[in-house]
Amino acid sequence: TFSLIKLVSDFNHHLSKLHEQHANEMAHLVKSFWKKTSDIQNDRPQCSNSIFLAWEQWMADTMQDSACHTEISAALSRSVARPLLEKTFHMKIQSRKVFSQREMFEKLLSENEDRLSKSHRDFLSSWTVHCEQQTDHSLARYLTAHNAYVAEIHNMNGMTDQYYE
């Protein structure tokens, strides 16, 4: 999704720049030809013929087109490119938060798996000792280790359920 949004944003940015460049070139062209037209008018007597009026209108229309391309460029930048980039930026921040939370939770799960393994080893060790000694102290140690192991299993199951929800 990020790559598609970025691709659309880049395309729109380049399209906007092309419209802006085209508008500037058109405006520059019209200004230079208006200057040439005024030089021609200064060399001859003032008259109004249809060719001159059509030429003036054409130059004015071209200047109007230049202004339209400038507006198109601004609209593309303002209405499409900028919101897309802001959306992409927001989505990147959100994904970084999600990935950092996921990483933190995976680290927590790993630590709890280590504690569960240790608890299981303690449970097996206390069971072995109790089978060999059969004393009240070994039974108490075995039951404590068993309860700790069951609590770790319960804790791990709860965390795993939370992780995969």
Side-chain angles (χ1 to χ4, degrees), residues 25-103:
E25 289 173 359
M26 286 174 67
H28 179 68
L29 178 71
V30 169
K31 287 176 185 174
S32 68
F33 275 85
W34 261 340
K35 185 175 189 250
K36 291 177 183 179
T37 302
S38 78
D39 291 345
I40 290 173
Q41 277 186 322
N42 290 338
D43 292 345
R44 37 192 299 223
Q46 191 78 3
C47 67
S48 65
N49 66 30
S50 60
I51 294 175
F52 179 74
L53 293 175
W55 173 246
E56 284 288 318
Q57 185 60 47
W58 191 12
M59 297 292 275
D61 289 347
T62 306
M63 199 61 159
Q64 181 79 26
D65 288 347
S66 170
C68 288
H69 281 282
T70 301
E71 289 175 21
I72 289 170
S73 172
L76 283 171
S77 178
R78 179 180 60 248
S79 301
V80 179
R82 198 169 300 133
L84 276 175
L85 285 176
E86 289 170 359
K87 178 93 171 155
T88 304
F89 181 72
H90 178 70
M91 289 173 73
K92 281 184 179 179
I93 289 173
Q94 292 296 348
S95 69
R96 282 187 191 135
K97 286 180 182 177
V98 167
F99 285 122
S100 70
Q101 287 176 349
R102 177 182 175 191
E103 187 176 296

